[in-house]
């Protein structure tokens, strides 16, 4: 299962880099190319959403089927430590899922705003030329 988390981490990293390149000021030449790249990458990256839901169900299943140590002496210290590590990994993975979904949503919204801004800028330029 570690490969899925690596893939999700890379996807979240790619989303963050694309978002950063779209929003940095002063990169107008690069932004035009990035808009086309991001717009073409958004549909395939939509697969992050069901993938995150699958991984979230995996975390829930692991939570429901974990061994419980109801009594004080029911678990050995190593079992208790393994249980605590499992909880920490699940919390980390849930944060990764939330970050990937949030970054995808922000990237989608920012891309739409940048495209609309480009269109409005073109309209303003066209109106200025027509007035001159």
């Amino acid at each position: 299962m570690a490969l899925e988390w690596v893939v999700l981490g890379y996807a979240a990293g790619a989303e963050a880099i694309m978002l950063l390149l779209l929003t940095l000021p002063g990169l107008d030449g690069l932004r035009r190319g990035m808009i086309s790249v991001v717009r073409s990458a958004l549909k395939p990256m939509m697969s992050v959403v069901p993938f995150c839901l699958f991984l979230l169900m995996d975390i829930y299943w692991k939570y429901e089927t974990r061994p419980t140590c109801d009594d004080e002496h029911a678990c050995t210290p190593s079992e208790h430590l393994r249980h605590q590590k499992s909880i920490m990994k699940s919390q980390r993975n849930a944060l990764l899922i939330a970050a990937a979904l949030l970054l995808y949503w922000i990237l989608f919204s920012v891309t739409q705003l940048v495209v609309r801004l480009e269109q409005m800028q073109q309209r303003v330029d066209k109106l200025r030329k027509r007035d001159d």
Side-chain angles (χ1 to χ4, degrees), residues 64-81:
E64 286 296 319
T65 59
R66 75 182 191 280
T68 57
C69 300
D70 294 333
D71 296 333
E72 205 172 294
H73 301 291
C75 294
T76 64
S78 64
E79 288 173 341
H80 187 66
L81 183 63

Side-chain angles (χ1 to χ4, degrees), residues 72-90:
E72 205 172 294
H73 301 291
C75 294
T76 64
S78 64
E79 288 173 341
H80 187 66
L81 183 63
R82 185 175 58 219
H83 174 65
Q84 291 298 323
K85 283 183 181 180
S86 174
I87 289 174
M88 292 292 286
K89 285 181 184 179
S90 294

Side-chain angles (χ1 to χ4, degrees), residues 9-109:
Y10 283 145
E15 290 168 353
I17 289 170
M18 285 189 273
L19 187 61
L20 187 66
L21 290 175
L22 276 178
T23 57
L24 278 177
L27 298 176
D28 293 332
L30 180 65
R31 187 173 293 124
R32 287 188 181 96
M34 278 301 297
I35 289 172
S36 63
V37 168
V38 170
R39 287 185 77 185
S40 63
L42 276 174
K43 284 186 182 179
M45 288 181 72
M46 180 66 173
S47 63
V48 165
V49 174
F51 190 59
C52 285
L53 293 175
F54 167 73
L55 292 175
L56 198 59
M57 288 189 314
D58 181 55
I59 289 173
Y60 178 74
W61 178 77
K62 285 181 181 177
Y63 178 77
E64 286 296 319
T65 59
R66 75 182 191 280
T68 57
C69 300
D70 294 333
D71 296 333
E72 205 172 294
H73 301 291
C75 294
T76 64
S78 64
E79 288 173 341
H80 187 66
L81 183 63
R82 185 175 58 219
H83 174 65
Q84 291 298 323
K85 283 183 181 180
S86 174
I87 289 174
M88 292 292 286
K89 285 181 184 179
S90 294
Q91 291 171 347
R92 178 200 61 202
N93 292 341
L95 283 174
L96 181 62
I97 289 170
L101 291 174
L102 183 68
L103 282 170
Y104 181 80
W105 177 72
I106 292 172
L107 182 64
F108 180 79
S109 300

Side-chain angles (χ1 to χ4, degrees), residues 109-120:
S109 300
V110 166
T111 303
Q112 295 300 323
L113 288 174
V114 169
V115 167
R116 286 174 59 197
L117 186 67
E118 280 284 324
Q119 291 171 348
M120 287 183 180

